[in-house]
Amino acid sequence: MTIKAVLFDFSGTLFRIESTGSWLRAALDATGLTLPDGEFDRAVAGLDEVGALPGGSTHHVDVPAHLAELMAVRDVDADRHRAAYTGLAREVPLPDERLYDALYERHMAPAAWCPYPDAHEVLAALRGRGVPVGVVSNIGWDLRPVFVEHGLDPYVGTYVMSYRHGVQKPDPRLFAAACEALGVAPADTLMVGDDRRSDAGAAKLGCAVHFVDHLPTTQRPDGLRPLLDLL
């Protein structure tokens, strides 16, 4: 097939969220609070175990039963996304209620995200080849400031965010909206993501799909570069 456009997932594909420790430290700083080293380490371990950091977990998480239904639809609107992740964080006792909202706010900050080492290179190469790019993300907030802050926004022709459409991947309607915005047919489009279930929804529309591994940036320095050979 001839690839005329490429769609990318956000978290775990083009960007990676900071570590759980860095996340908690930033929330403590924002609220002017401190934790003794032992309590800090226990809180980090607890938050990591319950998957409270959006985009942070690479291991299987057993969602508490009272949050399971909410987590299943967390990306369809902003309110449910916030409720789901602050709910998970509240499974871990913290010394001040303000910290739960501070943690949620921190994960939306551009400083909390880092692009994968080869993201800029690959997006610039696609631009140079005249291949338009879209971002399709299951998310509950506007991720565009992250791309702007890290200098990747000029390479993205459209952003399709689940909370703005009221549906979440693998629903083909999200991928269809991205293809329509870029003016390309699904059969001429490649979807790149890290989630074997959600991102595979693009195949139902006729897109080709390519997967990368959701790893820390230091462990995946060149996971996107093979895309250029696929084209």
Side-chain angles (χ1 to χ4, degrees), residues 63-73 83-91:
V63 177
H66 67 98
L67 291 173
E69 184 176 346
L70 180 60
M71 282 295 292
V73 294
Y85 281 105
T86 55
L88 285 176
R90 284 187 170 89
E91 294 295 300

Side-chain angles (χ1 to χ4, degrees), residues 14-231:
L14 289 175
F15 282 84
R16 169 75 185 197
I17 191 71
E18 65 189 336
S19 69
T20 307
S22 174
W23 177 52
L24 177 57
R25 183 69 66 194
L28 288 166
D29 291 344
T31 52
L33 299 169
T34 59
L35 280 176
D37 289 347
E39 290 184 29
F40 179 86
D41 292 342
R42 284 192 292 274
V44 168
L47 291 166
D48 187 57
E49 183 178 355
V50 300
L53 174 58
S57 297
T58 57
H59 59 275
H60 173 73
V61 173
D62 291 320
V63 177
H66 67 98
L67 291 173
E69 184 176 346
L70 180 60
M71 282 295 292
V73 294
R74 65 189 181 274
D75 296 313
V76 300
D77 64 58
D79 289 341
R80 275 181 269 201
H81 193 271
R82 178 182 285 271
Y85 281 105
T86 55
L88 285 176
R90 284 187 170 89
E91 294 295 300
V92 180
L94 295 175
D96 193 301
E97 180 68 18
R98 292 176 295 164
L99 280 169
Y100 298 110
D101 284 327
L103 286 168
Y104 189 83
E105 294 298 325
R106 169 62 184 183
H107 103 276
M108 297 187 289
W113 296 88
C114 182
Y116 280 93
D118 55 348
H120 187 283
E121 171 193 337
V122 169
L123 292 180
L126 293 173
R127 166 65 65 85
R129 298 183 186 189
V131 178
V133 164
V135 172
V136 183
S137 178
N138 278 351
I139 199 163
W141 49 276
D142 190 349
L143 54 76
R144 290 174 296 180
V146 177
F147 282 77
V148 172
E149 179 69 21
H150 292 280
L152 299 186
D153 178 67
Y155 304 114
V156 181
T158 189
Y159 296 91
V160 176
M161 295 169 275
S162 61
Y163 81 105
R164 290 195 162 188
H165 291 260
V167 295
Q168 57 191 33
K169 296 183 291 184
D171 194 307
R173 286 176 286 180
L174 290 178
F175 308 103
C179 291
E180 182 178 356
L182 294 177
V184 294
D188 297 325
T189 302
L190 174 67
M191 174 65 202
V192 181
D194 67 296
D195 190 315
R196 268 62 176 175
R197 175 182 175 274
S198 294
D199 296 315
K204 297 178 183 177
L205 199 65
C207 301
V209 181
H210 177 78
F211 293 110
V212 294
D213 294 323
H214 186 163
L215 295 169
T217 55
T218 55
Q219 297 178 30
R220 211 195 77 194
D222 55 4
L224 295 170
R225 288 197 185 105
L227 297 177
L228 302 179
D229 294 332
L230 291 178
L231 301 183

